[in-house]
């Protein structure tokens, strides 16, 4: 009897991501199956966009791995979109202002007919320049272009940002449709929880760089108040942070004590004391500390 | 009339060249956002190869042309892959110098292989005359060229308008990131465009070279005309640029024929450029990157030990070596003074000027003419030359007020070329064939003429160089230096701190002009008869590159770079070691510029400084450079009470900000009282930062902003900052290359004009008034004053951004997301500080924040924005349970009826949530 395991379309393992050396997302594990719509909810600054961009390939993970169909992927973003079956709609809408809507759909290999099937209301606006389209039309354009190439995985960041509820329904409906009819898996980041949950199968709740909750959409709607609570109150610093900071504090104190002792000793024995002072100590301490942290990080990799 | 038409038609030949070159420039610009100054050089390399293959190797025309075109295309691709791609995150200064480095290298290489004499080439196109009407005739080749230029324009227009390649190029040029996100490879597009653009220019060169002679410098100067034509076409439109190029060629020929003013025709492109850039208000649509790395700055402290040692060595060399060595040293020292001016202008103030040597020439011109014609003493001439150059520097500064980066480089290039063409090349102004006779300079009767007493002149130049270094060092360490660096690093932040950006730029240009003039006069007076033909724009460009190689932020860098100058020290060394190799100095300079730009962007001197500091620290000798707060605090003033600010209320009335059709802030009115903290919250994109931008003057707005009853709505950001409105930025906008102390000093310094003059001689050691001392202690930065900002931890950087705004001692303080990214404990500490700022200092504080705990704990009043409108305002508890606010954040609709529990959110119910770490699949 063969064990037919279907690998998830997308999986991340202990994914850590960030910008400029700052870790914004710590040890995320999430999955998306074929034909499933998963929404990623959470307050501002939680790290949702960072996670999405790391999965898309724009940001290189600090640690951990992104797997498509159980294959770890390290290719750059444009390759993932071009030949890797990824569809991407980012927060800044990806609409080129100086091109017509028709050209916007065509660039990168999109299909105008397929796009018009999804959003027939775009037909009237095909020759309008991208910059002149309304926000809703631009978002429809970006989503249509991504879906017209029949991707296997769709990543969408804040589709509903600044748009009227009816248009949000159209957009999320199109994503749901693609998942149901074509088996496209979708990971959508949203701020407005209730709307997003109506069209999703599952949800993850993120705050301060970590996943706090993973629920099915129905369960999440029942517990919607808890979820919305995280939006309106900042969540506390994690245990790890606190321990790390206290450790540093104690280490710094110990270092200072040792220097004082050294100075006492050299004064008593008459040997020349170094001309370093407390301020220098801190400075050199910080350099030592960061060097040590770098080494540890290297070892861990 | 007939003659006008005849000459106009003649001008079509050179016009076609301009048109083609502009097409090539536009292709490369559209594909990569780079203004390729080296287009002419790579094209002429291809043309020379074709000439060599055809005339010296006997190949037929077409294969030879094909190989030539391929060479140019290859050079273009090579430039992209090895030079521009590694630099895509560099500042525009570095990228401009990179293309100039390619220009110099390729040009030098071509000269070495083919020499610089002009050659006449037979035309491949038929040249029989065609009578159009009456006595107006035109040669067929010009007609054909016109046809090809038009066809090329049409073809390119079609290509870029509707093919996938054209759409992809358009997408990449608008946003590389968006293009990558839809699956395009910006790198591939860039490579193809570089190849295409270079090939077009090469084809143009091969076709047109029979009309103009085959000579290296011709093609490289045509780039200015090509830029002018492309600019008229806004670097987008092929048909318009082609028409402009043809028109420019025709205009030049007509002007050259019908006016007597030499050089006016050749300066025509520049006039077009200045018309478009400055008057029409257009600018080259740059792609500037978010995190540009600027070259490192030195701290400007002169080490007298090393200086005296260096002087001793140079004097020794001068007294003992043969005249050609002394002359080489003198040239290097003179060039070093000119490079010092570039250090001030480009290194400290960040303004790229490609005309410094031309201004040096102007100073030499004034001094030389005065001495030759009116027989005034040398020193007086020196002073007069410097004084005359300063206003010229101010003239060059005017475009800098409205343009920056590459635009400024292009404008200065044009201005310099015009001066060179109209003044220096004009024999009637420069004393005819024998040049300007100045005789031997003397110092109060003591003959220091370089011909008879080279060592005396050399020592005089050395003394002037040390004087120049001392003055520049004073400026660097003084208030004016801090202002220049603030303007260079971040103009927005500088304006927000009250620095008058325009005056700082004017000062930088004027000071640099004076320095350059000093150098130019000293260099010119080496000979008893000055010919001004050596003050070329090409040398200005080379000097800008050499300054970068040496280290454009360091005093020492000017001297290191100067050794590489033609007829300078390095050339002499090369010449003596391997005879005949001296002419390779140009090529070596070009390659050195490229290597510096790619690897050691900070320059040679900076690398030495880094090594020296590392050595010092490893061996632990010398004292580490620490600034103690007690040393810089001005403790003569009395105690705490005086650190309260003058209380002023902030009133906004009907403030509206629109960006095109998007309304970012919609008719917001509010009154903020002194001594209170007001929070500004709202969902993403609600317009919070736009509101702060409008109040601080960074965004144009309708409505009024008043401080008590003074209307500040019409003031610039700088003046608003000076009237007591300070802000911090969401992206911090710190001066990354400077120390914490310098960042705070820029804010704390009084903004006076006098310091510009006073710093030249006597820089004031900056001290902190008591309120700034208190701010430093409050934000716990007292042990970090000497540290570079880029070495600070994240939390400290955020505190520094706020401390800098507080150091201005403002009555009104606006903080944009001060707690972003801080841990919970750090947020609490910040909350305490913000509270104290309002209660103990008496400021009117406006805080934009997302962190609800922070806002609720700190604020007396809260304003809520959604879609730009003020939907709620009042005490925190009231606002929190306002249903409109909750709806804005959570996206409820009015007709949502499924979950019928009241949507009021519990006050502190986080413990009620069962949280599990998201751990498995």
């Amino acid at each position: 009897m063969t064990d037919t395991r279907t690998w998830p379309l997308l999986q991340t393992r202990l994914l850590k991501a960030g910008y400029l050396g700052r870790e914004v997302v710590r040890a995320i594990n999430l999955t998306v199956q074929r034909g499933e719509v998963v929404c990623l909810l959470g307050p501002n600054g939680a790290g949702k966009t960072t996670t999405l961009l790391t999965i898309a390939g724009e940001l290189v993970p600090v640690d951990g791995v992104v797997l498509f169909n159980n294959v770890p992927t390290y290719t750059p973003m444009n390759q993932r979109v071009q030949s890797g079956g990824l569809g991407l709609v980012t927060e800044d809408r990806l609409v080129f202002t100086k091109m017509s809507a028709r050209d916007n759909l065509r660039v990168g290999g999109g299909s105008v007919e397929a796009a018009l099937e999804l959003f027939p209301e775009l037909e009237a606006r095909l020759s309008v320049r991208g910059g002149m389209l309304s926000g809703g039309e631009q978002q429809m354009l970006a989503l249509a272009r991504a879906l017209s190439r029949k991707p296997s995985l769709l990543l969408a960041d804040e589709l509903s940002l600044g748009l009227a509820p009816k248009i949000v329904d159209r957009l999320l409906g199109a994503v749901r449709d693609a998942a149901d009819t074509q088996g496209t898996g979708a990971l959508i980041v949203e701020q407005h929880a209730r709307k997003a949950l109506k069209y999703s199968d599952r949800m993850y709740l993120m705050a301060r760089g970590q996943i706090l909750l993973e629920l099915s959409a129905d369960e999440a709607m029942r517990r919607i108040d808890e979820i919305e609570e995280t939006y309106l109150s900042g969540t506390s610093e994690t245990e790890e942070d606190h321990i790390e900071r206290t450790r540093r504090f104690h280490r710094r104190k110990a270092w200072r004590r040792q220097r004082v002792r050294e100075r006492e000793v050299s004064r008593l024995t008459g040997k020349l004391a170094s001309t370093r002072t407390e301020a220098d100590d801190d400075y050199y301490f910080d350099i030592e500390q960061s060097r040590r942290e770098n080494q540890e990080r290297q070892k861990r990799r | 009339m007939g003659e006008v038409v005849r000459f106009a038609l003649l001008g079509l030949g050179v016009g076609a060249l301009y048109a083609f070159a502009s097409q090539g420039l536009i292709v490369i610009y559209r594909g990569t956002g780079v203004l390729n100054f080296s287009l002419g050089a790579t094209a002429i390399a291809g043309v020379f190869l074709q000439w060599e293959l055809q005339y010296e190797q006997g190949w037929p025309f077409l294969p030879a042309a094909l190989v030539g075109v391929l060479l140019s295309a290859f050079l273009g691709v090579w430039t992209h892959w090895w030079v521009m791609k590694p630099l895509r995150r560099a500042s525009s200064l570095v990228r401009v110098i990179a293309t100039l480095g390619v220009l110099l290298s390729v040009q030098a290489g071509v000269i070495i292989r083919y020499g610089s004499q002009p050659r006449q080439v037979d035309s491949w196109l038929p040249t029989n005359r065609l009578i159009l009407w009456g006595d107006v005739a035109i040669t067929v080749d010009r007609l054909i060229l016109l046809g090809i230029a038009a066809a090329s324009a049409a073809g390119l227009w079609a290509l870029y308008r509707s093919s996938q390649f054209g759409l992809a190029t358009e997408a990449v040029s608008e946003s590389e990131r968006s293009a990558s996100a839809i699956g395009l490879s910006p790198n591939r597009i860039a490579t193809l465009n570089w190849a295409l653009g270079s090939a077009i220019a090469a084809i143009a060169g091969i076709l047109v070279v029979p009309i103009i002679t085959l000579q290296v410098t011709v093609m490289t100067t045509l780039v200015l005309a090509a830029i002018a034509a492309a600019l008229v076409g806004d670097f987008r439109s092929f048909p318009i640029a082609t028409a402009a190029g043809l028109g420019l060629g025709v205009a030049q020929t007509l002007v050259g024929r019908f006016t007597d003013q030499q050089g006016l025709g050749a300066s025509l492109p520049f006039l077009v450029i200045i018309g478009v850039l400055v008057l029409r208000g257009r600018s080259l649509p740059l792609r500037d990157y978010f995190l540009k790395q600027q070259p490192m700055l030195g701290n400007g402290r002169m080490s007298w030990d090393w200086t005296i040692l260096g002087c001793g060595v140079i004097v020794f060399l001068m007294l003992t070596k043969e005249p050609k060595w002394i002359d080489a040293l003198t040239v290097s020292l003179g060039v070093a003074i000119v490079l010092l001016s570039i250090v001030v202008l480009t290194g400290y103030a960040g303004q790229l000027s490609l005309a410094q040597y031309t201004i040096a020439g102007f100073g030499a011109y004034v001094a030389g003419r005065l001495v030759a014609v009116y027989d005034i003493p040398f020193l007086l001439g020196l002073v007069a030359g410097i004084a005359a150059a300063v206003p010229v520097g101010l003239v060059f500064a005017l475009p800098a007020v409205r343009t920056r980066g590459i635009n400024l480089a292009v404008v200065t290039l044009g201005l310099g070329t015009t001066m060179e063409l109209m003044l220096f090349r004009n024999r009637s102004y420069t004393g005819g064939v024998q040049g300007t006779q100045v005789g031997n300079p003397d110092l109060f009767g003591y003959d220091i003429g370089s011909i008879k007493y080279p060592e005396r002149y050399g020592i005089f130049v050395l003394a002037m160089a040390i004087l120049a270094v001392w003055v520049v060092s004073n400026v660097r360490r003084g208030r004016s230096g801090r202002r220049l660096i603030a303007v260079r690093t971040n103009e927005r932040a500088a304006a927000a701190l009250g620095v008058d950006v325009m005056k700082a730029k004017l000062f930088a240009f004027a000071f640099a002009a004076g320095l350059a003039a000093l150098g130019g006069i000293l260099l010119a007076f080496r000979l008893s008869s000055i010919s001004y033909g050596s003050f070329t724009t090409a040398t200005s460009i080379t000097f800008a590159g050499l300054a970068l190689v040496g280290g454009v932020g360091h005093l020492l860098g000017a001297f290191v770079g100067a050794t590489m100058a033609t007829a300078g020290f390095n050339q002499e060394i090369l010449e003596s070691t391997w005879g005949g190799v001296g002419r390779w100095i140009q090529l070596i300079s070009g390659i050195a510029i490229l290597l510096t730009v790619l690897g050691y962007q900070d320059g040679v001197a900076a690398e030495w400084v880094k090594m020296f500091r590392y050595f010092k620290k490893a061996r632990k000798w010398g004292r580490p450079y620490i600034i103690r707060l007690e040393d810089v605090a001005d403790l003569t003033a009395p105690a705490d009470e005086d650190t309260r600010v003058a209380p002023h209320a902030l009133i906004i009335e009907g403030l509206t900000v629109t960006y095109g059709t998007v309304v970012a802030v919609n008719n917001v009115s509010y009154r903020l009282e002194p001594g209170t903290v007001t929070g500004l919250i709202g969902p993403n994109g609600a317009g919070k930062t736009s509101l702060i931008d409008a109040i601080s003057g960074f965004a144009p707005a309708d409505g009024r902003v008043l401080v008590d009853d003074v209307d500040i709505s019409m003031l610039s950001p700088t003046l608003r900052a000076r009237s007591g409105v300070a802000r911090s930025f969401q992206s911090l906008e710190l001066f990354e290359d400077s120390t914490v102390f310098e960042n705070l000093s820029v804010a704390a310094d009084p903004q006076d004009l006098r310091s510009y003059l006073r710093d030249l001689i006597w820089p004031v050691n900056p001290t902190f008034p008591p309120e700034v001392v208190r701010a430093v202690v409050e934000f716990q930065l007292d042990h970090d004053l000497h540290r570079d900002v880029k070495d600070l931890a994240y939390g400290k950087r955020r505190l520094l951004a706020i401390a800098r705004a507080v150091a201005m001692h403002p009555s009104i303080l606006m903080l944009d997301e001060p707690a972003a990214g801080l841990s919970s404990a750090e947020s609490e500490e910040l909350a305490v500080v913000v509270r104290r700022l309002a209660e103990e200092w008496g400021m009117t504080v406006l805080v934009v924040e997302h962190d609800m705990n922070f806002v609720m704990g700190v604020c007396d009043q809260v304003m809520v924005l959604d879609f730009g409108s003020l939907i709620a305002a009042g005490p925190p508890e009231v606002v929190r349970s306002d249903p409109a606010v909750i709806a804005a954040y959570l996206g409820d609709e009015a007709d949502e009826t499924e979950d019928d529990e009241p949507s009021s959110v519990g006050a502190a119910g986080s413990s009620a949530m069962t949280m599990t770490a998201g751990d498995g699949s």
Side-chain angles (χ1 to χ4, degrees), chain A residues 58 97 195 211-212 229 232, chain B residues 174 177 852 893 905 916 918:
Chain A
E58 179 165 9
T97 51
K195 263 250 189 277
I211 292 188
L212 301 173
E229 178 62 33
L232 295 184
Chain B
E174 180 162 338
R177 186 201 175 237
M852 280 304 163
E893 291 150 26
V905 191
T916 51

